Amino acid sequence: MLRNKHIIAIFAILFSLFGQAQKRHPSGLNLRGADEEAWNFGILFNLTNYGTSYTIENPPIDETALNIFDGIAGGFRLVAEHRILERTDLRIEPGILLNRAAIGNPEGGITEVQLPLLIKYQGERHANYNPFILGGYLASYKTSQELESWTIPYNRLMHSIELGAGVDFYLKKSKLALGVRMITPIVSDQIELDTSALKGLQSKAVLFTISFETKDGWKLYAR
């Protein structure tokens, strides 16, 4: 719990600093016309805190034998954002997540490839910042070896809902966005076996994100 408070405090400080930075530079708009671009590209980094819930079907069971790994995961995504309506964008964010929470693996967490398909709705731009909400579907594929042979066997392919909110900050050459998102699975995270000690394993997550985007994408710092 204390670890979560530290993460939230860091993001609160970042929001405050960038808010103050916009107030100190009221002379003009940065990145004019950015919201009217047909495409924007960039990169997104995230810290992800997974939590697991489950039902023990065959007590008594020694929970220490389950090899629960619940460390903070980190990852990155590439961003492609396409304007489809006024204030509304379609976002594709293929990426990878390292060290996500897992049960049953004595060696640590799971490596996961993620492919979210999201709709982003922006508010009204105020000077050099703009709030937004987003949500959509997340497909994720676990690449870790021998998942099926773990104490708790996992489904490799998972389907989830991803929802979030954040703020775009317009800089001279790019948009910087800070956000918070939630991932909720649509189905159980485990392969359902009659011999499994656990049933209904669910892995939900909170993501803290920071991204850099512009119409030039890979040329963010080339100008």
Side-chain angles (χ1 to χ4, degrees), residues 33-60:
D35 295 330
E36 286 72 47
E37 294 290 346
W39 287 94
N40 280 290
F41 302 93
I43 189 167
L44 179 148
F45 301 95
N46 66 77
L47 290 176
T48 306
N49 187 12
Y50 267 93
T52 57
S53 62
Y54 51 84
T55 301
I56 298 178
E57 288 288 305
N58 301 303

Side-chain angles (χ1 to χ4, degrees), residues 49-106:
N49 187 12
Y50 267 93
T52 57
S53 62
Y54 51 84
T55 301
I56 298 178
E57 288 288 305
N58 301 303
I61 184 173
D62 181 5
E63 292 198 42
T64 60
L66 294 177
N67 296 312
I68 299 175
F69 180 82
D70 61 354
I72 295 292
F76 71 91
R77 297 175 178 179
L78 302 178
V79 178
E81 179 180 280
H82 180 53
R83 174 57 49 97
I84 55 176
L85 294 170
E86 183 179 0
R87 298 187 183 179
T88 305
D89 302 312
L90 175 66
R91 290 172 66 90
I92 302 174
E93 297 180 355
I96 189 168
L97 184 69
L98 304 173
N99 222 35
R100 63 149 282 192
I103 296 178
N105 178 19

Side-chain angles (χ1 to χ4, degrees), residues 18 36 47 73 76 91 99 105 116-117 135 162 170 192-193 204:
F18 280 101
E36 286 72 47
L47 290 176
F76 71 91
R91 290 172 66 90
N99 222 35
N105 178 19
L117 186 63
E162 184 167 324
Y170 300 85
E192 296 292 352
L193 299 176
K204 299 182 179 180

Side-chain angles (χ1 to χ4, degrees), residues 1 3 8 15 33 51 56-57 106 181 183 192 205 211 215:
M1 191 69 183
R3 178 177 58 197
I8 294 172
F15 270 109
I56 298 178
E57 288 288 305
R181 305 183 188 181
I183 295 176
E192 296 292 352
S211 66
K215 66 178 181 179

Side-chain angles (χ1 to χ4, degrees), residues 91-164:
R91 290 172 66 90
I92 302 174
E93 297 180 355
I96 189 168
L97 184 69
L98 304 173
N99 222 35
R100 63 149 282 192
I103 296 178
N105 178 19
E107 298 180 358
I110 292 175
T111 299
E112 187 172 270
V113 176
Q114 299 181 328
L115 182 61
L117 186 63
L118 308 171
I119 297 293
K120 174 182 174 183
Y121 180 78
Q122 292 182 298
E124 183 177 351
R125 177 172 175 170
H126 297 280
N128 287 320
Y129 67 91
N130 194 350
F132 63 83
I133 57 174
L134 51 73
Y137 166 74
L138 168 65
S140 55
Y141 183 82
K142 302 173 183 65
T143 64
S144 299
Q145 298 296 317
E146 299 180 353
L147 281 174
E148 295 81 359
S149 65
W150 286 11
T151 305
I152 306 301
Y154 278 80
N155 286 309
R156 285 193 178 274
L157 179 63
M158 281 298 299
H159 310 279
S160 305
I161 299 297
E162 184 167 324
L163 300 171

Side-chain angles (χ1 to χ4, degrees), residues 175-192:
K175 285 192 301 183
L176 180 148
L178 300 177
V180 178
R181 305 183 188 181
M182 295 187 65
I183 295 176
T184 302
I186 299 174
V187 296
S188 175
D189 206 15
Q190 73 178 108
I191 297 174
E192 296 292 352

